[in-house]
Every structure is written in structure tokens, then in C-alpha cells.
Amino acid sequence: MLRFLPLKLGRLYRCLKLLLVVGLFVILLMNTHNLFASFQKNELTDRRFINLNKCPACFGTSWCRKFMNGQVSFETWGRLRFLDVFNVKNVYFAQYGEPREGTRRVVLKRLGSNQELADIDQKICKRATGRPRCDLIQAMYKTEFARLNGDVRLLTPEVVEGWSDLVHCPSQRLLDRVVRRYAETKDSGSFLLKNLKDTERMQLLMTLAFNPEPLLLQSFPSDEGWPFAKYLGACGRVVAVNYVGEELWSFYNAPWDKRVDLARQLMDIAEQLTNNDFEFALYLLDVSFDNFAVGPRDGKVIVVDGENVLVADKRLIKQNKPENYDVWYESRFEDCDKEACLSFSKESLCNRVTVDHNYYAVCQNLLSRYATWRGTTGGLLHDPPAHIAKDGQLEALLDECTNPKKRYGRFTAAKELRDYLTQLVASASAR
């Protein structure tokens, strides 16, 4: 009887596939009218669809003219609303066109799930009226987002500290940078908060509290060499950023030389965000294959999800000298059974000058044998060529970078790993 088991499982698998196809066909039939309407209408010109009607409880208005003029439109699958059930993160691909420049691909983000957006509406209403539903626009003027009126000169740390990872431990220098580079105002360039309109101040604070990714991209722009996607603008609760390329996961089984180059770039990003001339340490708290992308032309690795980035001001740490500020901080390795998990202390990241967190995050979640993503283990540097595997140096460096056996071993291993990968890239280029 056991020999019939594979046959029965095969039939069951075929039946399930048939049911899935039939189910999708039924959904298509039920949505035929909406299907045709979706292709005929550009929903990005609809004020309610992009939640422009909820401003100033929104992320900005700098791109509204482009949206309303129809210069931004969803790509094919993005037009099908019944597929939104699978798009939990509310991230869409779209085409943006300029008369003289032609069209190019951009990424649109709502910066949260539908539930998260509904929750922020409820919180605003409850704080303003005590009820979960209300006139959102009127309610905004009764919340902490409206606390900083035109008489307040600066955005100060005590007002926004802990609102999000970006400002978990903000310095005045960081906040001045955020205000000065705020792109959702015509009068950008000044760190004085009073130069912003009331609605612009509320939008800035709303973004800072809900999802500070746009402010991170504006404060540390790609044009100045930071490894982030380029911020383009916002309209209502939709933010537009530059399309970078395919996600890093698409290169998991790329040729060895390509993966080595990507790994070297990832370690370079970890170094740049940890040690730079600006003395801001940007710690990546959510590191996975989905949060990085690779440029199709230059092959450059870019961070494409900046929601969970903690920024520590090393200059302020050196000035204030908190306890153990000059003792090197080593992140603790944690061998968990979940995908993309990290162990860290935000307080230590905020109070130490020398920290190995970014090296640890990249090595553990992307490069080493401990990296687990979508049911696959082995990391980006899996299955090295025989001569490299036999040498054992790469595996030893990855292990020490992930789970160091020596005190401060990760700092040394990260530097040696960068050098080793650079040598491998140079050798590949010379062939």
C-alpha cells in the first residue's frame, strides 16, 4: 500500500493546483468590472486613494502636482486592487514621466500596512477627542504634532526622543540636520523650525513618529554618497523614492564572483555607516535580503528600507562621556531559529563610541552560514570554489565576524574580511 502513497500525494498536489487556478479564475470573474476599470483609471490622481484628504496627517505634498497631472501611474500589476491583499507592506512599482526626460521607474510606499495606518488615525483621534473616530484634520491641531507652533524656534531632543528609531537618542545636531534638509517645504535650508508652516511642521512630526524613513533619506541623501535610495517626494500618504534595482535575494545563486563583489559592498556599507567624517553612526536594526537592492547598471548595493535605523551622534557621546562610553561595545551573537534576527541594546548603541553592530548584522544575517532567509541557509557566500573552501580563511573570518571567540574579535575579523573580499574582487577583475 505504501507504494501508492507517492501517487496519491501527486494527485493531491495536482488537485490543489487545480483548485488554486479555479479560485483565481473565480476571483477574476467576480472582479471583471473592477479589472477593466483599474486599467482605464489612474488611481494615483484620486485624492482619497492617496489619502491627500487626510493632510496634515500625512507625509507631505511636494509631489502632488505630479500625481494630479497623471505623471505617476502604477505599472500593470499595481493597477489590480484585488491583489493588494498580498501586498501587506503597501509598496508599489510605478512609472514617472517628464515631458523632456521620458519615463522612469519609481517605487511608491505608504510606509506601513493598512492596519498600521488605521491605528495611527485612531491614536490621533483618541488623543484629541477620546474617541477612535473623528475629523482627522481638526484632531491634528489638538495633538503633540501641533505642539510646536510658530513661536518654537528649534526642534529639540526632549520633544521627540524615543518617537522612532531615528530619534531614539537624538542630538540637537541631528535634529537641525533633519529640519534643514526637510524636502516637504519650499523654504528648505534652514534649521529653524519656525520657518516651516504649521501644516509642514505637523507633517514632519507625523512622519518622524510613524515611519521616519523619508526623513532618513533626506538627511543622509544618496547624492552625498550615503548608501540609501533617493527620496523624490510625497503626496498625501504616498512617498516616492527612486527605483534601485532587484532585491539582494535575487542574487543568492548568482555566479561566485558577483556574490563576492556584493558581499564586499555590504561590508563597506557597514563600515561607512559605523565610521564616517560626520561622526554620525547609523545602525541598521532590520537587516535582511529584502532590505537591500542592486543597481542593474553599476551593480551598486543600496539600502532600500530605512525605517529601522538608529542614529547616534558620536560627537555628543564624546562630549557627554556617559558611563563606559569609550569601552568598545560587542554585540552578542544569538543563534535563533527565526529569519533575520539580531540581538542588540539600543542604549548601548546610543552611549558607546566604538560599536560592532553593523558588522555583526551584515555577517550574521547576510553573509555567513548562520544567515537564514525564506527557508534557505548558508548566506550570500555559500558554496565557495574548492580552493577557497579548502583554504578555510573565508569561513574562519565569517565565523569570527558572526560569533567571535576572542574579545573584540569581530572588529578585527570585519576589517580582515573586507580586505580579503577586496582581494578576491581584484583577482576576479584581473582574470
Side-chain angles (χ1 to χ4, degrees), residues 162-170 174 208 212 283 285-286 306-312 344 346 350:
W163 279 20
S164 58
D165 288 332
L166 177 64
V167 290
H168 185 79
C169 49
L174 172 64
L208 195 59
Y283 297 116
L285 305 186
D286 183 9
E307 178 181 1
N308 302 112
V309 177
L310 185 151
V311 179
F344 54 83
K346 290 185 179 180
C350 288

Side-chain angles (χ1 to χ4, degrees), residues 101-167:
E101 300 176 6
T103 59
R104 60 187 170 107
R105 200 178 203 191
V106 297
V107 178
L108 304 181
K109 299 183 176 185
R110 290 191 186 272
L111 300 181
S113 66
N114 292 338
Q115 186 58 55
E116 288 169 334
L117 290 163
D119 288 345
I120 193 69
D121 288 349
Q122 280 197 1
K123 288 179 181 177
I124 291 171
C125 286
K126 284 184 177 179
R127 288 173 185 174
T129 68
R131 300 188 303 274
R133 291 186 178 184
C134 66
D135 183 326
L136 201 62
I137 297 175
Q138 294 299 320
M140 277 291 285
Y141 288 89
K142 300 177 182 178
T143 66
E144 67 270 33
F145 300 134
R147 184 190 311 165
L148 303 179
N149 57 36
D151 297 328
V152 178
R153 185 170 178 269
L154 298 174
L155 180 62
T156 55
E158 59 268 19
V159 173
V160 296
E161 183 176 357
W163 279 20
S164 58
D165 288 332
L166 177 64
V167 290

Side-chain angles (χ1 to χ4, degrees), residues 22-278:
V22 171
L24 287 173
F25 181 69
V26 170
I27 291 174
L28 283 172
L29 285 178
M30 293 175 64
N31 289 273
T32 300
H33 177 73
N34 293 335
L35 188 64
F36 285 112
S38 296
F39 280 104
Q40 292 173 348
K41 180 183 178 182
N42 183 358
E43 290 178 294
L44 294 175
T45 62
D46 185 339
R47 296 171 61 90
R48 288 190 172 275
F49 181 80
I50 60 178
N51 292 150
L52 182 58
N53 60 309
K54 293 189 177 184
C55 287
C58 67
F59 309 129
T61 57
S62 64
W63 256 42
C64 282
R65 179 173 295 182
K66 301 179 189 299
F67 275 79
M68 295 301 110
N69 288 345
Q71 291 175 255
V72 188
S73 59
F74 283 128
E75 293 185 351
T76 306
W77 296 110
R79 295 172 180 265
L80 306 179
R81 295 280 64 80
F82 68 88
L83 293 179
D84 286 349
V85 66
F86 303 108
N87 188 8
V88 179
K89 292 186 176 181
N90 278 326
V91 177
Y92 305 89
F93 296 112
Q95 290 291 323
Y96 163 61
E98 283 284 358
R100 297 180 181 179
E101 300 176 6
T103 59
R104 60 187 170 107
R105 200 178 203 191
V106 297
V107 178
L108 304 181
K109 299 183 176 185
R110 290 191 186 272
L111 300 181
S113 66
N114 292 338
Q115 186 58 55
E116 288 169 334
L117 290 163
D119 288 345
I120 193 69
D121 288 349
Q122 280 197 1
K123 288 179 181 177
I124 291 171
C125 286
K126 284 184 177 179
R127 288 173 185 174
T129 68
R131 300 188 303 274
R133 291 186 178 184
C134 66
D135 183 326
L136 201 62
I137 297 175
Q138 294 299 320
M140 277 291 285
Y141 288 89
K142 300 177 182 178
T143 66
E144 67 270 33
F145 300 134
R147 184 190 311 165
L148 303 179
N149 57 36
D151 297 328
V152 178
R153 185 170 178 269
L154 298 174
L155 180 62
T156 55
E158 59 268 19
V159 173
V160 296
E161 183 176 357
W163 279 20
S164 58
D165 288 332
L166 177 64
V167 290
H168 185 79
C169 49
S171 65
Q172 188 60 57
R173 188 166 69 104
L174 172 64
L175 296 180
D176 288 348
R177 186 183 182 96
V178 169
V179 175
R180 185 172 64 250
R181 293 166 178 251
Y182 186 51
E184 295 301 320
T185 175
K186 293 180 180 179
D187 299 320
S188 59
S190 171
F191 62 86
L192 296 177
L193 198 64
K194 66 178 184 179
N195 287 346
L196 299 180
K197 297 176 182 177
D198 289 345
T199 54
E200 292 169 346
R201 280 193 295 274
M202 285 188 276
Q203 289 165 6
L204 187 155
L205 295 174
M206 161 89 174
T207 307
L208 195 59
F210 181 71
N211 184 334
E213 179 180 0
L215 301 176
L216 177 82
L217 304 187
Q218 295 164 36
S219 301
F220 300 93
S222 60
D223 293 345
E224 297 178 8
W226 295 97
F228 301 113
K230 181 181 177 63
Y231 180 81
L232 299 176
C235 186
R237 288 186 175 178
V238 177
V239 165
V241 299
N242 194 42
Y243 172 73
V244 173
E246 291 187 52
E247 61 185 26
L248 182 63
W249 178 249
S250 302
F251 296 84
Y252 185 81
N253 289 314
W256 172 251
D257 290 343
K258 179 64 176 178
R259 288 185 281 131
V260 167
D261 177 57
L262 297 177
R264 191 258 309 166
Q265 290 189 60
L266 287 165
M267 291 302 294
D268 287 347
I269 288 174
E271 174 64 23
Q272 179 187 6
L273 297 183
T274 303
N275 299 305
N276 53 71
D277 294 338
F278 300 94

Side-chain angles (χ1 to χ4, degrees), residues 1-10:
M1 184 171 180
L2 288 175
R3 64 195 227 180
F4 291 106
L5 187 59
L7 181 62
K8 291 181 178 179
L9 289 175

